Amino acid sequence: MSRLSRTAAAAAAASLLTTAVALPASASAEQLEYHSPSTSADGEVAYFAGFARGKGVELFKTDGTDAGTTLVKDIAPGAASSLHGETPERNAARFTSIGDRTFFEAQTADLGRQLWVTDGSAAGTVTLTSEIPIPGFGGAAPTDLTPFGGLLYFAAVDEERGKEVWTSDGTPAGTRLAFDIRTTEPAHRAPGSFPHDFTQVGDLLYFVASATGREDLYVTDGDDVEVALSIDPADGSFQEEGQLVEHDGRLAFVLQRGSARDIWVTDGTPAGTERIVANSGIRFGEELVSFDGALYYRVSGDTLRRVVPGSAPTTVSTAPAQGVAVHGDRLWFLTYSAGTRLGVLHAVAPGGDAVRVADVYRSSRRTETFDTAYADGVLYLIANGSLIRSDGTEAGTRLVQSLGMSRNTASHSELAVAGDHVVLAVRDRLEVGALWLSDGTSEGTYQRMPQRTFTGATPRILGTATVGETLRGHVGTWTPKPAGYRYQWYANGSPIEGATAKSYTLTADEAADTVTLVVTGSAPGFKSLKRESAAKLVRGTFTSAPVPTISGTVAAGELLTAVPGSWTPAATFEYQWFADGKAIKGRSTSASYKVTSTSQYKQLQVRVTGLRPDTPAVQRMSEPVTRSQAR
């Protein structure tokens, strides 16, 4: 599983409520078409549909880093696009991974819509259904790509049977018809059973299909298929989206009965089938969410309810809820209150009730953008045009980065995990979108496609690089000017703990080290840029440099000796002797001085200079001595 960094962005809790800035109006909708990021089975990469100049919208992959984001293959050669987004909310290109292979639907002019598979290489990206006899209206049109038993199950069209159940092991030879459900139609251009909503429950796969013109619930173990439930019209019918979900070893589903929508559960037998909520009020197309023995669903007004089979439904939240999803050991959802104008993140732990986690945005209306991803105990969500992370506590819920999408323009977002990073596809109401990458920190969150970058100068270090002195950083000229700068001082290539201000006062720990400053510029919609200064060698200081003394007798012909004392750190010394304050010429630069007949009547002194390669020189002058003072 991914190992997403837990390093929190250094943003105050109040910054969660900051309104995002708008995307520049000059952006090209065609060039900004990015959608459907999906994590591979090993969690190390994410595949997505991305725009490449001259190639259209094609297959990309990313490991979450700038260098690791690459075009896999131009499936529809030239400027044509093979991966189309039908709408921002429901894209055609969805990626389903099994082992080291990832399946998806793509379209070309000669083959129409077909099932493709990739191993992450251009050579390993091939179509699996191009040999299926297809009607002239556009290919096998695969849908409902679902892993089961190590194989892919999906619905596809062929010219003989219409739309039926197919399976694939990831090779063209291993892609075949699994079950022909509707066999009563004429052999030529049969409409098929139109199977949909494949849902795994234990070692069984359920789906909805029509063999007779009425939809029933089917089940397979991979070898045989049979009707699990033949739905009595009096009990209702499946909608186009059957709202099927695994729930505690059984299948939960929704049936439409007139204007009512009822919630049922089944173990695949008539005796094990029961209606648990009549006229539930669940919204059309709303997904049931199973968590901790209960089913959660939204009703009119986006009120969130829960039901435990055998009990009456209860209300979880009367405030409009969205984004209900299970991640880790909790169920998460977001609410909005028109009165407080706050979007609030909530969580439900096993055996507990919904609790408020944190306020995550402030707006005059509810955000329409909400998606989540989860890694290493951290929930990532996009709300009101910003990426937010939460560990389930208020203190651990923080703004990562504004994505340059305002509450008036943001319409859809998708998240996926790639290794240690989060991949974000964000689109606005004009279907203008962008791909972002994030390592979970503000400075490590940037727009990757289309690439917008800074031009930044190399920073300079001002001041004297000596222990005890203060150095200052100078960022120079950046284009455009970043929204803000971050600073980090380094010693011998390692970050100095806590040294994150524009200035830094050198300590004895940096003596003899080379010090550099790294400046990071950032702004919404731009890849953060780092620039490093030239290195400066830090010179130390003597912590002990005593005043020297003179031993010997001041008399003609006598030898005086300079005693420098104990210096810390150890030093080498230079000497200069003085008489009545003037330097004595000649041989007077050693530790000893022979008194002359003239100098014996003067005040004699010695100046000691302490030297080290990594420390500025320090001079100390002794007290003067005379004939009566010398010993």
Side-chain angles (χ1 to χ4, degrees):
M1 189 59 189
S2 98
R3 305 166 300 282
L4 207 122
S5 170
R6 291 177 179 271
T7 305
S15 67
L16 285 168
L17 308 178
T18 303
T19 300
V21 299
L23 191 71
S26 61
S28 164
E30 181 186 18
Q31 294 182 9
L32 304 187
E33 189 170 355
Y34 306 97
H35 58 80
S36 304
S38 301
T39 305
S40 62
D42 63 6
E44 293 303 312
V45 300
Y47 290 94
F48 66 95
F51 179 84
R53 190 174 299 277
K55 300 181 185 297
V57 181
E58 294 294 346
L59 177 65
F60 278 77
K61 69 176 181 179
T62 181
D63 63 3
T65 68
D66 185 49
T69 302
T70 59
L71 173 71
V72 177
K73 186 171 184 173
D74 184 8
I75 293 172
S81 296
S82 68
L83 303 179
H84 295 282
E86 294 175 347
T87 68
E89 291 77 22
R90 187 171 178 176
N91 293 315
R94 294 293 182 185
F95 301 96
T96 301
S97 294
I98 302 175
D100 60 356
R101 299 186 181 189
T102 297
F103 300 84
F104 60 99
E105 181 227 328
Q107 178 173 318
T108 60
D110 56 337
L111 298 176
R113 296 168 58 188
Q114 300 289 354
L115 179 68
W116 288 69
V117 69
T118 185
D119 61 3
S121 68
T125 303
V126 297
T127 181
L128 298 175
T129 54
S130 61
E131 299 302 318
I132 297 175
I134 58 175
F137 58 81
T143 59
D144 290 80
L145 278 55
T146 305
F148 175 67
L151 301 175
L152 181 78
Y153 281 77
F154 60 101
V157 177
D158 76 359
E159 193 169 24
E160 179 182 354
R161 304 172 185 87
K163 195 164 191 177
E164 290 294 351
V165 182
W166 288 71
T167 186
S168 177
D169 63 1
T171 67
T175 302
R176 59 178 178 80
L177 178 73
F179 306 113
D180 186 5
I181 302 297
R182 189 165 190 168
T183 59
T184 59
E185 295 289 338
H188 60 285
R189 297 190 182 276
S193 65
F194 291 93
H196 59 90
D197 288 285
F198 294 87
T199 305
Q200 182 174 351
V201 178
D203 56 1
L204 298 175
L205 182 67
Y206 290 87
F207 60 92
V208 178
S210 173
T212 62
R214 185 190 70 196
E215 288 189 324
D216 291 319
L217 183 66
Y218 286 76
V219 64
T220 179
D221 60 3
D223 294 323
D224 300 313
V225 65
E226 62 183 26
V227 175
L229 287 176
S230 183
I231 305 300
D232 188 326
D235 291 328
S237 60
F238 291 99
Q239 302 172 35
E240 182 179 351
E241 293 192 19
Q243 302 166 290
L244 277 61
V245 65
E246 188 278 334
H247 177 64
D248 288 355
R250 295 195 287 177
L251 181 76
F253 58 96
V254 176
L255 292 181
Q256 179 83 34
R257 179 173 49 86
S259 61
R261 299 186 184 101
D262 303 337
I263 300 177
W264 294 69
V265 293
T266 183
D267 63 2
T269 67
T273 302
E274 61 174 323
R275 180 167 55 197
I276 61 172
V277 183
N279 196 16
S280 66
I282 186 171
R283 292 169 40 138
F284 177 80
E286 177 74 13
E287 293 183 359
L288 294 167
V289 178
S290 175
F291 176 73
D292 192 31
L295 288 166
Y296 289 76
Y297 57 97
R298 293 186 303 166
V299 300
S300 178
D302 290 334
T303 296
L304 182 61
R305 290 182 181 170
R306 69 190 294 268
V307 62
V308 176
S311 302
T314 58
T315 298
V316 178
S317 171
T318 56
Q322 62 185 133
V324 184
V326 177
H327 292 295
D329 62 351
R330 279 176 279 193
L331 178 137
W332 309 77
F333 63 94
L334 197 67
T335 64
Y336 176 76
S337 168
T340 62
R341 297 186 175 186
L342 290 176
V344 182
L345 180 65
H346 298 265
V348 181
D353 295 324
V355 296
R356 173 191 171 277
V357 176
D359 300 337
V360 293
Y361 74 90
R362 177 182 288 118
S363 173
S364 61
R365 65 183 182 185
R366 184 178 66 171
T367 179
E368 295 184 20
T369 301
F370 186 73
D371 197 13
T372 57
Y374 189 80
D376 289 348
V378 176
L379 178 77
Y380 290 83
L381 62 103
I382 299 175
N384 203 42
S386 295
L387 176 64
I388 297 161
R389 55 174 286 154
S390 176
D391 63 2
T393 67
E394 184 170 20
T397 302
R398 301 177 181 178
L399 171 71
V400 177
Q401 179 70 276
S402 167
L403 305 177
M405 308 289 282
S406 76
R407 63 177 175 82
N408 294 319
T409 61
S411 69
H412 187 62
S413 62
E414 298 168 290
L415 291 174
V417 172
D420 295 337
H421 293 71
V422 178
V423 182
L424 309 84
V426 184
R427 302 178 70 167
D428 68 14
R429 296 182 188 279
L430 299 178
E431 298 190 18
V432 176
L435 186 87
W436 290 67
L437 304 176
S438 176
D439 64 0
T441 68
S442 178
E443 61 270 22
T445 301
Y446 58 93
Q447 184 174 307
R448 172 60 175 79
M449 290 182 170
Q451 192 78 51
R452 291 192 286 168
T453 60
F454 294 106
T455 298
T458 300
R460 292 185 294 130
I461 297 177
L462 307 179
T464 302
T466 303
V467 171
E469 297 293 325
T470 298
L471 301 179
R472 301 181 310 281
H474 183 269
V475 298
T477 302
W478 290 55
T479 305
K481 186 177 180 181
Y485 298 99
R486 294 181 181 275
Y487 304 91
Q488 178 63 63
W489 294 85
Y490 288 78
N492 291 341
S494 298
I496 301 172
E497 185 177 356
T500 56
K502 190 174 183 179
S503 61
Y504 178 66
T505 301
L506 296 166
T507 70
D509 291 338
E510 287 84 55
D513 290 347
T514 55
V515 171
T516 56
L517 171 64
V518 172
V519 176
T520 302
S522 62
F526 285 80
K527 177 185 176 184
S528 296
L529 179 66
K530 291 184 178 181
R531 285 287 183 261
E532 185 173 11
S533 71
K536 277 199 171 188
L537 177 65
V538 179
R539 306 185 72 184
T541 58
F542 289 106
T543 57
S544 176
V547 174
T549 58
I550 299 174
S551 65
T553 301
V554 180
E558 295 294 325
L559 198 65
L560 299 180
T561 301
V563 181
S566 179
W567 288 55
T568 304
T572 59
F573 302 104
E574 291 181 350
Y575 304 90
Q576 175 64 57
W577 291 86
F578 292 79
D580 286 345
K582 294 182 179 181
I584 301 172
K585 297 180 180 180
R587 297 180 180 180
S588 60
T589 57
S590 63
S592 300
Y593 170 68
K594 189 175 183 180
V595 181
T596 66
S597 58
T598 302
S599 63
Q600 66 178 323
Y601 299 108
K602 298 181 178 181
Q603 290 185 330
L604 299 179
Q605 291 174 281
V606 65
R607 184 182 68 198
V608 176
T609 302
L611 301 173
R612 281 182 61 88
D614 58 359
T615 304
V618 173
Q619 294 181 335
R620 291 288 186 266
M621 183 75 80
S622 71
E623 295 293 328
V625 295
T626 61
R627 288 176 62 95
S628 60
Q629 292 175 328
R631 292 182 296 158

